[in-house]
Amino acid sequence: MADIKAGAKGLHIGFIMDGNGRWAQRRGLPRTAGHTKGAQVFQDMVKYCKQLGVEAVTFYAFSTENWKRPKAEVDAIMRLLKEYLNRAFDYKKEDNRIVILGDKTPLSDEIKKLMAEIEEGTRNNTGMTINVAINYGGREEITHAARELARRAARGEIQPEEIDEEMLSSCLYTAGQKDPDFILRPSGEKRLSNFLLWQSAYAEFIYMDVLWPDFTRKDLDKAIEEFLSRNRRFGGI
Ligand code: IPE
Ligand code: IPE
Ligand code: MG
């Protein structure tokens, strides 16, 4: 445990919260019951990561592709989201900074307003950064950044030749943040599903068979242990 705590300090961990639907279906429950349980696990993981001294966490909550799901399921996820955003004001006391990653345009005015309040209210907090990816897609994020740079170039504020990785990074939803050290995907699926495409260039991937609603602090310990055993070379030797 002491080693895990020492190793977790300063990390940025990405979580693809997957397997909610299967968890519910296996119990004969509606898929939304899995999302409700998954949201509780999210809350506990935030607390635990904070205890471990993790620097930043990014939770994939809703992708740009998840709109393909039945309206009733999307509505249930949006309701949960609202509930958790309302609770997020507690995090303020804990000095966490909350950042929403994704294109907010299609979200309801009520959700947009809550998000703005939370991001504004926690902007200057210096504790752990909690990124929540909502209507997030890695490709959408890069496209959004490209559009922004094109606009600046068209206004004559920058020359195309000046665009470098740093400038593009600064136009992503994660501007100014360190890249994720590792990305964890429970549920047995082994893919990124459009999560942090740019930022994961050198991230370690850790896939686990447990479904997200069953994910425990022990599972996170295991993932951190696995991460610490990897040899990262970043292209060197
Ligand atoms: C992840 O769980 C939650 C969201 C994508 C919103 P799923 O709902 O994808 O669960 P499975 O993969 O169908 O089991
Ligand atoms: C990824 O899970 C998105 C989130 C966890 C929010 P999905 O369940 O949507 O991914 P696929 O469809 O299995 O790739
Ligand atoms: Mg899934």
Side-chain angles (χ1 to χ4, degrees):
M1 176 66 199
D3 287 352
I4 286 170
K5 197 155 182 190
K9 226 178 176 56
L11 292 183
H12 178 179
I13 306 176
F15 294 83
I16 301 180
M17 304 189 281
D18 196 21
N20 294 350
R22 278 165 282 174
W23 181 90
Q25 277 162 340
R26 279 178 203 173
R27 283 167 176 73
L29 298 168
R31 291 177 55 88
T32 50
H35 297 311
T36 304
K37 180 70 176 27
Q40 289 163 6
V41 173
F42 154 77
Q43 207 176 24
D44 188 56
M45 279 305 127
V46 167
K47 273 195 209 128
Y48 189 47
C49 286
K50 177 91 178 168
Q51 278 177 27
L52 289 175
V54 167
E55 179 178 318
V57 285
T58 299
F59 290 91
Y60 203 6
F62 193 84
S63 76
T64 45
E65 287 74 36
N66 287 146
W67 298 103
K68 290 180 196 158
R69 297 186 178 204
K71 186 171 182 301
E73 181 169 342
V74 172
D75 288 349
I77 293 171
M78 291 299 154
R79 268 198 305 277
L80 259 176
L81 190 64
K82 218 163 41 192
E83 186 190 326
Y84 275 77
L85 287 174
N86 274 316
R87 278 190 210 177
F89 282 107
D90 286 350
Y91 297 138
K92 221 169 137 183
K93 288 183 225 141
E94 292 168 27
D95 203 30
N96 294 322
R97 183 167 70 109
I98 297 176
V99 180
I100 311 291
L101 312 180
D103 175 17
K104 299 179 178 107
T105 328
L107 303 176
S108 75
D109 287 345
E110 196 185 357
I111 288 182
K112 273 189 268 203
K113 188 167 165 271
L114 270 170
M115 286 175 168
E117 278 171 32
I118 291 166
E119 289 193 291
E120 202 46 56
T122 65
R123 190 182 301 281
N124 297 320
N125 287 352
T126 52
M128 186 169 76
T129 298
I130 304 168
N131 297 297
V132 188
I134 295 164
N135 189 31
Y136 174 88
R139 288 185 171 184
E140 191 285 324
E141 178 179 44
I142 295 167
T143 308
H144 172 266
R147 223 181 282 129
E148 169 59 21
L149 291 173
R151 253 186 242 117
R152 288 184 201 168
R155 287 196 298 257
E157 293 164 11
I158 55 166
Q159 291 302 314
E161 296 70 28
E162 283 176 74
I163 298 173
D164 57 9
E165 293 183 9
E166 199 186 329
M167 195 187 285
L168 198 142
S169 278
S170 74
C171 294
L172 299 176
Y173 300 123
T174 50
Q177 297 196 41
K178 73 179 283 198
D179 285 340
D181 293 288
F182 73 89
I183 292 176
L184 191 93
R185 183 164 193 161
S187 93
E189 309 296 356
K190 296 182 177 63
R191 53 177 171 261
L192 261 185
S193 301
N194 209 4
F195 187 51
L196 301 180
L197 296 184
W198 172 282
Q199 299 86 341
S200 65
Y202 273 100
E204 296 293 327
F205 292 106
I206 296 177
Y207 297 105
M208 296 173 88
D209 276 331
V210 56
L211 300 172
W212 178 252
D214 286 328
F215 196 85
T216 61
R217 293 180 176 207
K218 279 221 158 55
D219 290 316
L220 184 61
D221 288 348
K222 267 192 256 170
I224 293 172
E225 239 170 50
E226 164 72 24
F227 166 75
L228 295 172
S229 76
R230 304 262 181 106
N231 180 10
R232 301 179 88 190
R233 282 185 292 276
F234 299 99
I237 52 170

